[in-house]
Amino acid sequence: MSTPSIPFAIRTPIVLAPAMAAMACSGSPAAEPKRDLSEVVIADPSTCVDPRDHGAVPNDGLDDRAALQAAIDLAKVSGRPVCLAPGRFDIQMNPGAGNQNIESLRIWNTDGFTMVGAGSRSVLAFKGSGISPGTTVPRDWWLLGLRGARNTHLGHFEIDGAARFDTDEQTHAIQLTHLPAGFDGNPSPISTRGTTLEHVDFFDPHLPRPAGSVPCGEAPAGQMCQRPNHGGTPILCAQIPGYSRCSVTNGPAASTWTLLGFFGGGDCVRLAAEETLGVRVADTTVEGSRATCDRSFVALQRGVDGYRVVNNTVDAVDDTAVDEEPTGEGTARRAYIVGNTFHRGGGRKAGILLTMSGNTEDSTENVISGNLLDGSISAYNTSNTIFAFNTITIAEDNTTNIQLIKRGSGNRIFGNTLVREATAAAGNAILVRLHNSGFPSDVIISDNVIRMRSDGNAIQAEPAVGLVVDGNIIEGSGPTADTFSAFVTRGSESVGTGSQRITFTGNQVRGRFRRMFIEGQFMTQVNHATVITGNIFEPATTGSTISGVVFESGCPTPAPIVDGNVFRGLPAARHVEGACGAGWIGQNSGP
């Protein structure tokens, strides 16, 4: 059998500082150029391990799992690449039981493993049921499992999940995790490091629900569910787990509920390791992919150190495009998410498209730059992170464009274009807020363009400590005039903390805002100075309800500096209003 000529791209390292410098100069990400797949090929195709030589037959509709695994095993011991010919390779669930058999294809305890295809013509496809023989509910299922793998390169093929059925949310296309002790003769756990997924496309859509079906969990208490295709004997509907759907037939005496199947799905790429065992998933790159994912495109549960998501296009997800959602011990850190296009797609459940999230430790040292999103970025327990030069447009719901929640310090939000369309519900472009007893500190929001075409305060911080808002252009054209403000910060009675060390300088605010700046709820502690200087406020109207700066329910200590601002169209009496009276320092101009 002839060995196919397989396109192959070499991993290109990226240096963070020059990339950020280039973005700062151009206002756009320093994207690495994409190459035509024909530019670089396997130097000697005769060295390939071809799954067809081990019994795989593309496009015959039969299970190719064993043949593909045989090719992977040979590549592991020989050091040769696995080369996927054009065609569809169907892959069923591993028939073995236990944690060591979750994945259909194992890439375990390897160093330098490579598998490449012929672009979108080479397809690895989920096939069949996610329920093991002799059982009645779906189990965890990964198509490809990388455990204890080092310096792995997977590229130029597609993973298709459209033909799977009876699956749950732990059904993932590619899982990266550590190799537990003893799984491959290894005396101790092994980390997974240095993985590159390059031009691996994903079509793993949300499975269509049968027309007229409802979640089985919505059945009334005590309702029994018939299971003609899932175990035979009826059980309580409440005992059926996961993403199950039932049909309901209303009879003269009672309704009959019938289980139709399970319609859950997981992530396209998922990373998780147990830091408590001294292992991690480190130095992962996902680049140049196009994806439709049932749940998330890239999900990071815990134990992740250093990952790059670069130049990808996500057409649809049911959860988030990139999802840091740590559980247990450990977190995800050192992300570089640059140059991507992230779309919600049809049927999207919520508006958040990118989450940074710490747990027992902060998610830290991240760069989120040059991305295009139609959903929000949410950072929870996140520190020392740059959010720069992103374009985020919210056209529906009340989702905030960028929000910082709970603890974390040293975050920088600069150079972004944040748009809230008139079709969006009322909400903020940037929100910094308390959660339980924690709140962000030392935050800089600078040089952003914010266009508020919906109702809402543009920037809101409750509370804020060490917040600088500088050089932003903030435009208001929402449907409700003279109601909302460009910037609002207040303390929190629940934790007895007021906003402290607030600097609002060099901003241009124009449009249908009632106030440029509101600060209030100071509690009892010293505020450590509020500085409001060099701003220009051009309200759309200048009626008696319009004012420049308002101090609510108390005045900062020491006296706030309000100086060098231009309040166009406003009389001096409405430049600074509220609880400070004349107890502020400075001189401003207007009308």
Side-chain angles (χ1 to χ4, degrees), residues 1-5 45-58 64 67 71 80 83-86 89:
M1 180 178 298
S2 62
T3 304
S5 178
S46 66
T47 65
C48 287
V49 177
D50 189 334
R52 295 176 298 178
D53 294 333
H54 297 267
V57 180
D64 295 306
R80 296 156 56 192
C83 300
L84 301 172
F89 296 87

Side-chain angles (χ1 to χ4, degrees), residues 270-281:
R270 184 172 181 267
L271 287 67
E274 300 298 338
E275 288 194 34
T276 56
L277 300 177
V279 289
R280 290 178 176 173
V281 175

Side-chain angles (χ1 to χ4, degrees), residues 76 103 107-113 145-152 175-180 183-184 186 188-195 272-273 279-281:
K76 174 181 175 179
E103 55 265 71
I107 303 173
W108 288 9
N109 200 8
T110 57
D111 195 345
F113 176 84
L146 280 67
R147 307 203 208 197
R150 286 90 65 199
N151 305 311
T152 304
Q175 171 90 17
L176 281 67
T177 187
H178 66 284
L179 183 68
F183 269 40
D184 194 45
N186 50 303
S188 57
I190 302 174
S191 295
T192 289
R193 297 182 179 276
T195 303
V279 289
R280 290 178 176 173
V281 175

Side-chain angles (χ1 to χ4, degrees), residues 393-404:
T393 302
I394 304 298
E396 55 184 311
D397 60 49
N398 65 347
T399 303
T400 300
N401 297 58
I402 300 177
Q403 59 179 341
L404 307 179

